[in-house]
Amino acid sequence: MGRFILKCLKCGKEYGQQYRLTCENDDSLLRAIYFEEKLELRNQPGIGKFHSWLPIEKELDTEAGPITYKSEAFARELGLSNLYIGFSGYWPERGAFIKTCSFKELEAHPIMQFLLENGAKAIVLASAGNTGRASAHVSALTGTDVYIVVPDSGIEKLWLPEEPTESIHLISMGPGNDYTDAINLAGRIAKLPGMVPEGGARNVARRDGMGTVMLDAAVTIGRMPDHYFQAVGSGTGGISAWEASLRLRADGRFGSKLPKLQLAQNLPFVPMYNAWKAGRREIIPEIDMKDAKKQVEETYASVLTNRTPPYGVTGGLYDALVDTNGIMYAITREEALEAKALFESLEGIDILPPSAVATAALLKAVEAGNVGKDDIILLNLAGGGYKRLKKDIKLHQIQPVATARNPDIPLEELNI
Ligand SMILES: *Cc1c(COP(=O)(O)O)cnc(C)c1O
Ligand SMILES: [Zn+2]
C-alpha cells in the first residue's frame, strides 16, 4: 500500500514509502515513483491540487501554490508571443498567495507533512534566507519544531506574516560565515538526538514541491513549455522542473518533448555555469569558484550562493541539463537590475533579486536566439510580491535564539 516508492537512480534499489535521503549503495539521488501515473488535480486551493505527485498521504489545504499566467506587456517588449510567467509569491490580484514570497514555501509545506507522517519531531535546515522564512512560516502554522541556521546576510530575510512562535528556533551565524557554513553547522545539529535533517535536494518532498511550478504551467498552458527559465543556486528547482516534466511526458497528455532548461547564476559567483561551460560533471573549486567567500559577498542575489550544489551527483543538475540540452547563463548585477526595472514597470509586480537574474537570462536568450519568438516559454519567477505584501500585512522579524561564531563551534555553547 501507499502512494509511492523511492528508487535509486544509479543502482535501481527500491525503498518503501518512508523518509530517506540516501541509497545504501551509492550517493545518487533517490526519486519518488508515484503509483498515480496520470496527474489528477485535487480540489484544493494551492499546492494540494498536485497531490498525485507529492510524497505525502494527507492532501495539503494551504492556499499557497504556484500560479501561471500569460504575459502581455513584457512579452510584447521582448517580441515573444507565448511567454508564460510562473509566479511564486504574493499577488492577490492574480490569485498568488504565498505570504513568504518565494517558491521555498512550495517545498516547506510538503516537507513538513512528509516528516510528520514519518514521526519526526524536529527538523533542522540551513538557509540563505528564503527557505528559513518559508519553513518558519509552516512551523508557525503547524506547531512543528524547526531549527534554522542562517548566515549573517540572511537574517534580515527572516520575517514572517504572523507572530513568530516558540516552535521556531533561529540560529544566526556571525560575520564571515556564508550559506555553506550554515549548511555545515546545520549538518552537525541534525545529528543531535530527536533531530531530523531536512536534506536539501536529497529530500523528494522538496523537489516535488518545487516541481509543481512546472505542473501548474503544463496544466494552465495545456502542454509542457519548450523552454524553462530559472535562476539557480543549488539547482534543485532545475532538477525539480526536469523531474516534473519526465512525469508529464509519461502521463502522455502534455507533449513528449522535455522543456529545455535555461538556467542562470549571478556573477561573480557562478560555479555551475563555469563547470557546465567547460563540459564537466565536476565543479572544481580552484577553477569554478576561486576566492569563493569573496565572490559570495559580492553577489547581488545572495540566495544563489551555494558552494556545494547537487550538480554532479547522479540525478542532479548536470544530468538534468544533459537530458534537456540545457543552457546556462552568467548574469551581472547591472543586467539583473535592468531586467528587474523593466519587468516591474511592465507587469506591475515587484520581484526578488533571483527572479531579476532569471529575467535577465531571458533577455539574453532572446538576443542570442536561444528561443524562437513563437516558442512556448516558461519564466519561473520564484520569488516576488514582497512590496505588495507589505501594503496588506504587518511583518514580524524572527529573533535568533543563539549565534554561532563558526560552523565548528561546540554545540553545548549554542544552548539550543
Ligand atoms: C532558492 C531560490 C532560487 C534558487 O533555487 P534553486 O534551489 O537553486 O533551484 C531562485 N529564486 C528564489 C526566489 C529562491 O528563493
Ligand atoms: Zn543506489
mmCIF file of all heavy atoms in Angstrom, residues 183-222:
data_model
loop_
_atom_site.group_PDB
_atom_site.id
_atom_site.type_symbol
_atom_site.label_atom_id
_atom_site.label_comp_id
_atom_site.label_asym_id
_atom_site.label_seq_id
_atom_site.Cartn_x
_atom_site.Cartn_y
_atom_site.Cartn_z
ATOM 1 N N ILE A 183 25.171 25.488 6.214
ATOM 2 C CA ILE A 183 24.868 24.093 5.863
ATOM 3 C C ILE A 183 25.692 23.151 6.739
ATOM 4 O O ILE A 183 25.182 22.160 7.272
ATOM 5 C CB ILE A 183 25.156 23.840 4.364
ATOM 6 C CG1 ILE A 183 24.138 24.591 3.489
ATOM 7 C CG2 ILE A 183 25.129 22.337 4.045
ATOM 8 C CD1 ILE A 183 24.420 24.538 1.992
ATOM 9 N N ASN A 184 26.967 23.498 6.948
ATOM 10 C CA ASN A 184 27.831 22.633 7.753
ATOM 11 C C ASN A 184 27.399 22.588 9.222
ATOM 12 O O ASN A 184 27.372 21.525 9.837
ATOM 13 C CB ASN A 184 29.287 23.072 7.617
ATOM 14 C CG ASN A 184 29.817 22.802 6.211
ATOM 15 O OD1 ASN A 184 29.323 21.906 5.524
ATOM 16 N ND2 ASN A 184 30.787 23.586 5.771
ATOM 17 N N LEU A 185 27.047 23.736 9.784
ATOM 18 C CA LEU A 185 26.587 23.753 11.173
ATOM 19 C C LEU A 185 25.255 23.010 11.305
ATOM 20 O O LEU A 185 25.059 22.219 12.244
ATOM 21 C CB LEU A 185 26.449 25.194 11.678
ATOM 22 C CG LEU A 185 25.917 25.332 13.111
ATOM 23 C CD1 LEU A 185 26.812 24.602 14.115
ATOM 24 C CD2 LEU A 185 25.780 26.802 13.505
ATOM 25 N N ALA A 186 24.345 23.227 10.379
ATOM 26 C CA ALA A 186 23.041 22.538 10.428
ATOM 27 C C ALA A 186 23.249 21.024 10.374
ATOM 28 O O ALA A 186 22.568 20.267 11.068
ATOM 29 C CB ALA A 186 22.151 22.998 9.274
ATOM 30 N N GLY A 187 24.221 20.584 9.590
ATOM 31 C CA GLY A 187 24.524 19.150 9.490
ATOM 32 C C GLY A 187 24.931 18.576 10.838
ATOM 33 O O GLY A 187 24.565 17.453 11.190
ATOM 34 N N ARG A 188 25.656 19.359 11.637
ATOM 35 C CA ARG A 188 26.076 18.885 12.960
ATOM 36 C C ARG A 188 24.899 18.876 13.936
ATOM 37 O O ARG A 188 24.728 17.940 14.706
ATOM 38 C CB ARG A 188 27.212 19.768 13.482
ATOM 39 C CG ARG A 188 28.506 19.602 12.661
ATOM 40 C CD ARG A 188 29.620 20.514 13.169
ATOM 41 N NE ARG A 188 29.921 20.264 14.564
ATOM 42 C CZ ARG A 188 30.072 21.215 15.491
ATOM 43 N NH1 ARG A 188 29.943 22.492 15.151
ATOM 44 N NH2 ARG A 188 30.335 20.911 16.728
ATOM 45 N N ILE A 189 24.087 19.919 13.890
ATOM 46 C CA ILE A 189 22.936 19.981 14.807
ATOM 47 C C ILE A 189 21.961 18.835 14.503
ATOM 48 O O ILE A 189 21.372 18.233 15.403
ATOM 49 C CB ILE A 189 22.223 21.350 14.689
ATOM 50 C CG1 ILE A 189 23.159 22.463 15.168
ATOM 51 C CG2 ILE A 189 20.925 21.358 15.493
ATOM 52 C CD1 ILE A 189 22.609 23.871 14.948
ATOM 53 N N ALA A 190 21.842 18.495 13.223
ATOM 54 C CA ALA A 190 20.894 17.455 12.809
ATOM 55 C C ALA A 190 21.260 16.089 13.369
ATOM 56 O O ALA A 190 20.432 15.177 13.395
ATOM 57 C CB ALA A 190 20.806 17.397 11.289
ATOM 58 N N LYS A 191 22.509 15.939 13.840
ATOM 59 C CA LYS A 191 22.922 14.641 14.397
ATOM 60 C C LYS A 191 22.535 14.518 15.875
ATOM 61 O O LYS A 191 22.659 13.444 16.463
ATOM 62 C CB LYS A 191 24.440 14.465 14.242
ATOM 63 C CG LYS A 191 24.876 14.369 12.785
ATOM 64 C CD LYS A 191 26.192 13.601 12.645
ATOM 65 C CE LYS A 191 26.638 13.505 11.197
ATOM 66 N NZ LYS A 191 27.503 14.656 10.812
ATOM 67 N N LEU A 192 22.074 15.595 16.498
ATOM 68 C CA LEU A 192 21.651 15.533 17.900
ATOM 69 C C LEU A 192 20.395 14.659 18.012
ATOM 70 O O LEU A 192 19.617 14.563 17.062
ATOM 71 C CB LEU A 192 21.344 16.954 18.425
ATOM 72 C CG LEU A 192 22.528 17.916 18.553
ATOM 73 C CD1 LEU A 192 22.042 19.317 18.932
ATOM 74 C CD2 LEU A 192 23.531 17.400 19.583
ATOM 75 N N PRO A 193 20.198 14.028 19.182
ATOM 76 C CA PRO A 193 19.036 13.153 19.348
ATOM 77 C C PRO A 193 17.718 13.889 19.077
ATOM 78 O O PRO A 193 17.555 15.035 19.497
ATOM 79 C CB PRO A 193 19.113 12.732 20.829
ATOM 80 C CG PRO A 193 20.477 13.096 21.303
ATOM 81 C CD PRO A 193 21.035 14.124 20.379
ATOM 82 N N GLY A 194 16.812 13.243 18.375
ATOM 83 C CA GLY A 194 15.491 13.821 18.130
ATOM 84 C C GLY A 194 15.414 14.744 16.929
ATOM 85 O O GLY A 194 14.331 15.153 16.518
ATOM 86 N N MET A 195 16.566 15.060 16.337
ATOM 87 C CA MET A 195 16.578 15.986 15.195
ATOM 88 C C MET A 195 16.612 15.211 13.883
ATOM 89 O O MET A 195 17.259 14.175 13.790
ATOM 90 C CB MET A 195 17.820 16.883 15.243
ATOM 91 C CG MET A 195 17.992 17.634 16.533
ATOM 92 S SD MET A 195 17.060 19.162 16.472
ATOM 93 C CE MET A 195 17.647 19.951 17.976
ATOM 94 N N VAL A 196 15.977 15.745 12.876
ATOM 95 C CA VAL A 196 15.996 15.130 11.545
ATOM 96 C C VAL A 196 16.465 16.171 10.538
ATOM 97 O O VAL A 196 15.950 17.295 10.525
ATOM 98 C CB VAL A 196 14.589 14.638 11.149
ATOM 99 C CG1 VAL A 196 14.585 14.098 9.733
ATOM 100 C CG2 VAL A 196 14.100 13.581 12.117
ATOM 101 N N PRO A 197 17.465 15.837 9.707
ATOM 102 C CA PRO A 197 17.902 16.819 8.699
ATOM 103 C C PRO A 197 16.870 16.954 7.593
ATOM 104 O O PRO A 197 16.283 15.956 7.165
ATOM 105 C CB PRO A 197 19.202 16.220 8.155
ATOM 106 C CG PRO A 197 19.056 14.747 8.379
ATOM 107 C CD PRO A 197 18.203 14.575 9.606
ATOM 108 N N GLU A 198 16.683 18.156 7.149
ATOM 109 C CA GLU A 198 15.713 18.393 6.066
ATOM 110 C C GLU A 198 16.239 17.817 4.762
ATOM 111 O O GLU A 198 15.479 17.346 3.927
ATOM 112 C CB GLU A 198 15.451 19.896 5.974
ATOM 113 C CG GLU A 198 14.493 20.323 4.900
ATOM 114 C CD GLU A 198 15.206 20.935 3.713
ATOM 115 O OE1 GLU A 198 16.449 20.831 3.629
ATOM 116 O OE2 GLU A 198 14.537 21.504 2.869
ATOM 117 N N GLY A 199 17.556 17.861 4.559
ATOM 118 C CA GLY A 199 18.142 17.098 3.465
ATOM 119 C C GLY A 199 18.341 17.818 2.148
ATOM 120 O O GLY A 199 18.909 17.251 1.226
ATOM 121 N N GLY A 200 17.873 19.048 2.033
ATOM 122 C CA GLY A 200 18.083 19.801 0.796
ATOM 123 C C GLY A 200 17.549 19.060 -0.414
ATOM 124 O O GLY A 200 16.473 18.468 -0.371
ATOM 125 N N ALA A 201 18.337 19.077 -1.491
ATOM 126 C CA ALA A 201 17.893 18.476 -2.762
ATOM 127 C C ALA A 201 17.638 16.982 -2.627
ATOM 128 O O ALA A 201 16.937 16.391 -3.443
ATOM 129 C CB ALA A 201 18.944 18.707 -3.833
ATOM 130 N N ARG A 202 18.205 16.342 -1.602
ATOM 131 C CA ARG A 202 18.021 14.900 -1.422
ATOM 132 C C ARG A 202 16.621 14.540 -0.966
ATOM 133 O O ARG A 202 16.212 13.386 -1.027
ATOM 134 C CB ARG A 202 19.030 14.358 -0.407
ATOM 135 C CG ARG A 202 20.455 14.464 -0.885
ATOM 136 C CD ARG A 202 21.403 13.615 -0.079
ATOM 137 N NE ARG A 202 22.615 13.425 -0.857
ATOM 138 C CZ ARG A 202 22.758 12.480 -1.786
ATOM 139 N NH1 ARG A 202 21.783 11.624 -2.013
ATOM 140 N NH2 ARG A 202 23.866 12.396 -2.478
ATOM 141 N N ASN A 203 15.904 15.545 -0.470
ATOM 142 C CA ASN A 203 14.558 15.308 0.042
ATOM 143 C C ASN A 203 13.559 15.366 -1.122
ATOM 144 O O ASN A 203 13.375 16.414 -1.741
ATOM 145 C CB ASN A 203 14.245 16.381 1.095
ATOM 146 C CG ASN A 203 12.961 16.094 1.842
ATOM 147 O OD1 ASN A 203 12.035 15.508 1.286
ATOM 148 N ND2 ASN A 203 12.913 16.517 3.092
ATOM 149 N N VAL A 204 12.905 14.248 -1.411
ATOM 150 C CA VAL A 204 11.989 14.227 -2.572
ATOM 151 C C VAL A 204 10.798 15.155 -2.368
ATOM 152 O O VAL A 204 10.226 15.667 -3.339
ATOM 153 C CB VAL A 204 11.489 12.799 -2.910
ATOM 154 C CG1 VAL A 204 12.630 11.936 -3.411
ATOM 155 C CG2 VAL A 204 10.774 12.156 -1.737
ATOM 156 N N ALA A 205 10.426 15.398 -1.117
ATOM 157 C CA ALA A 205 9.310 16.317 -0.879
ATOM 158 C C ALA A 205 9.701 17.733 -1.286
ATOM 159 O O ALA A 205 8.878 18.514 -1.772
ATOM 160 C CB ALA A 205 8.904 16.285 0.596
ATOM 161 N N ARG A 206 10.979 18.042 -1.095
ATOM 162 C CA ARG A 206 11.451 19.362 -1.512
ATOM 163 C C ARG A 206 11.382 19.475 -3.039
ATOM 164 O O ARG A 206 10.823 20.420 -3.583
ATOM 165 C CB ARG A 206 12.893 19.558 -1.042
ATOM 166 C CG ARG A 206 13.456 20.874 -1.509
ATOM 167 C CD ARG A 206 14.830 21.154 -0.919
ATOM 168 N NE ARG A 206 14.908 22.579 -0.635
ATOM 169 C CZ ARG A 206 15.919 23.184 -0.039
ATOM 170 N NH1 ARG A 206 16.941 22.505 0.385
ATOM 171 N NH2 ARG A 206 15.916 24.467 0.162
ATOM 172 N N ARG A 207 11.927 18.490 -3.716
ATOM 173 C CA ARG A 207 11.969 18.574 -5.178
ATOM 174 C C ARG A 207 10.564 18.539 -5.786
ATOM 175 O O ARG A 207 10.242 19.308 -6.692
ATOM 176 C CB ARG A 207 12.831 17.455 -5.761
ATOM 177 C CG ARG A 207 14.256 17.408 -5.204
ATOM 178 C CD ARG A 207 15.237 16.819 -6.185
ATOM 179 N NE ARG A 207 14.902 15.484 -6.653
ATOM 180 C CZ ARG A 207 15.202 14.330 -6.019
ATOM 181 N NH1 ARG A 207 15.858 14.353 -4.877
ATOM 182 N NH2 ARG A 207 14.857 13.166 -6.536
ATOM 183 N N ASP A 208 9.733 17.639 -5.269
ATOM 184 C CA ASP A 208 8.417 17.519 -5.886
ATOM 185 C C ASP A 208 7.510 18.693 -5.524
ATOM 186 O O ASP A 208 6.599 19.038 -6.281
ATOM 187 C CB ASP A 208 7.802 16.163 -5.548
ATOM 188 C CG ASP A 208 8.624 15.024 -6.173
ATOM 189 O OD1 ASP A 208 9.519 15.330 -6.992
ATOM 190 O OD2 ASP A 208 8.398 13.855 -5.840
ATOM 191 N N GLY A 209 7.789 19.347 -4.406
ATOM 192 C CA GLY A 209 7.076 20.583 -4.084
ATOM 193 C C GLY A 209 7.439 21.684 -5.065
ATOM 194 O O GLY A 209 6.585 22.374 -5.622
ATOM 195 N N MET A 210 8.737 21.832 -5.326
ATOM 196 C CA MET A 210 9.195 22.845 -6.287
ATOM 197 C C MET A 210 8.728 22.518 -7.707
ATOM 198 O O MET A 210 8.476 23.411 -8.516
ATOM 199 C CB MET A 210 10.716 22.901 -6.308
ATOM 200 C CG MET A 210 11.336 23.561 -5.112
ATOM 201 S SD MET A 210 13.139 23.403 -5.268
ATOM 202 C CE MET A 210 13.650 25.041 -4.823
ATOM 203 N N GLY A 211 8.628 21.238 -7.990
ATOM 204 C CA GLY A 211 8.228 20.801 -9.331
ATOM 205 C C GLY A 211 6.804 21.204 -9.694
ATOM 206 O O GLY A 211 6.428 21.173 -10.868
ATOM 207 N N THR A 212 6.015 21.603 -8.705
ATOM 208 C CA THR A 212 4.623 21.980 -9.004
ATOM 209 C C THR A 212 4.548 23.245 -9.868
ATOM 210 O O THR A 212 3.517 23.496 -10.481
ATOM 211 C CB THR A 212 3.786 22.188 -7.721
ATOM 212 O OG1 THR A 212 4.364 23.234 -6.938
ATOM 213 C CG2 THR A 212 3.718 20.902 -6.914
ATOM 214 N N VAL A 213 5.635 24.009 -9.927
ATOM 215 C CA VAL A 213 5.646 25.180 -10.827
ATOM 216 C C VAL A 213 5.501 24.698 -12.276
ATOM 217 O O VAL A 213 4.713 25.238 -13.056
ATOM 218 C CB VAL A 213 6.944 26.000 -10.649
ATOM 219 C CG1 VAL A 213 7.043 27.090 -11.707
ATOM 220 C CG2 VAL A 213 7.010 26.604 -9.255
ATOM 221 N N MET A 214 6.247 23.655 -12.616
ATOM 222 C CA MET A 214 6.150 23.083 -13.960
ATOM 223 C C MET A 214 4.772 22.444 -14.190
ATOM 224 O O MET A 214 4.177 22.587 -15.257
ATOM 225 C CB MET A 214 7.266 22.039 -14.164
ATOM 226 C CG MET A 214 7.243 21.333 -15.504
ATOM 227 S SD MET A 214 7.522 22.439 -16.906
ATOM 228 C CE MET A 214 9.319 22.535 -16.893
ATOM 229 N N LEU A 215 4.252 21.756 -13.161
ATOM 230 C CA LEU A 215 2.941 21.119 -13.305
ATOM 231 C C LEU A 215 1.860 22.168 -13.535
ATOM 232 O O LEU A 215 0.989 22.018 -14.409
ATOM 233 C CB LEU A 215 2.602 20.297 -12.048
ATOM 234 C CG LEU A 215 3.600 19.202 -11.649
ATOM 235 C CD1 LEU A 215 3.061 18.412 -10.450
ATOM 236 C CD2 LEU A 215 3.880 18.263 -12.824
ATOM 237 N N ASP A 216 1.920 23.245 -12.758
ATOM 238 C CA ASP A 216 0.915 24.296 -12.901
ATOM 239 C C ASP A 216 0.977 24.914 -14.296
ATOM 240 O O ASP A 216 -0.057 25.198 -14.909
ATOM 241 C CB ASP A 216 1.128 25.372 -11.830
ATOM 242 C CG ASP A 216 -0.068 26.303 -11.735
ATOM 243 O OD1 ASP A 216 -1.140 25.837 -11.309
ATOM 244 O OD2 ASP A 216 0.058 27.481 -12.128
ATOM 245 N N ALA A 217 2.194 25.094 -14.788
ATOM 246 C CA ALA A 217 2.352 25.661 -16.134
ATOM 247 C C ALA A 217 1.761 24.718 -17.180
ATOM 248 O O ALA A 217 1.001 25.144 -18.062
ATOM 249 C CB ALA A 217 3.827 25.921 -16.427
ATOM 250 N N ALA A 218 2.071 23.448 -17.087
ATOM 251 C CA ALA A 218 1.589 22.487 -18.087
ATOM 252 C C ALA A 218 0.063 22.413 -18.085
ATOM 253 O O ALA A 218 -0.571 22.357 -19.143
ATOM 254 C CB ALA A 218 2.187 21.106 -17.827
ATOM 255 N N VAL A 219 -0.518 22.446 -16.880
ATOM 256 C CA VAL A 219 -1.974 22.380 -16.772
ATOM 257 C C VAL A 219 -2.602 23.665 -17.330
ATOM 258 O O VAL A 219 -3.611 23.627 -18.033
ATOM 259 C CB VAL A 219 -2.383 22.165 -15.292
ATOM 260 C CG1 VAL A 219 -3.857 22.431 -15.090
ATOM 261 C CG2 VAL A 219 -2.004 20.757 -14.851
ATOM 262 N N THR A 220 -1.988 24.807 -17.033
ATOM 263 C CA THR A 220 -2.527 26.092 -17.493
ATOM 264 C C THR A 220 -2.397 26.237 -19.009
ATOM 265 O O THR A 220 -3.330 26.669 -19.687
ATOM 266 C CB THR A 220 -1.776 27.269 -16.814
ATOM 267 O OG1 THR A 220 -1.852 27.098 -15.399
ATOM 268 C CG2 THR A 220 -2.388 28.605 -17.191
ATOM 269 N N ILE A 221 -1.230 25.881 -19.537
ATOM 270 C CA ILE A 221 -0.968 26.063 -20.963
ATOM 271 C C ILE A 221 -1.631 24.957 -21.782
ATOM 272 O O ILE A 221 -2.022 25.163 -22.938
ATOM 273 C CB ILE A 221 0.568 26.068 -21.238
ATOM 274 C CG1 ILE A 221 1.253 27.176 -20.435
ATOM 275 C CG2 ILE A 221 0.865 26.237 -22.727
ATOM 276 C CD1 ILE A 221 2.789 27.076 -20.402
ATOM 277 N N GLY A 222 -1.746 23.780 -21.178
ATOM 278 C CA GLY A 222 -2.311 22.636 -21.905
ATOM 279 C C GLY A 222 -1.231 21.709 -22.446
ATOM 280 O O GLY A 222 -1.511 20.658 -23.016
#
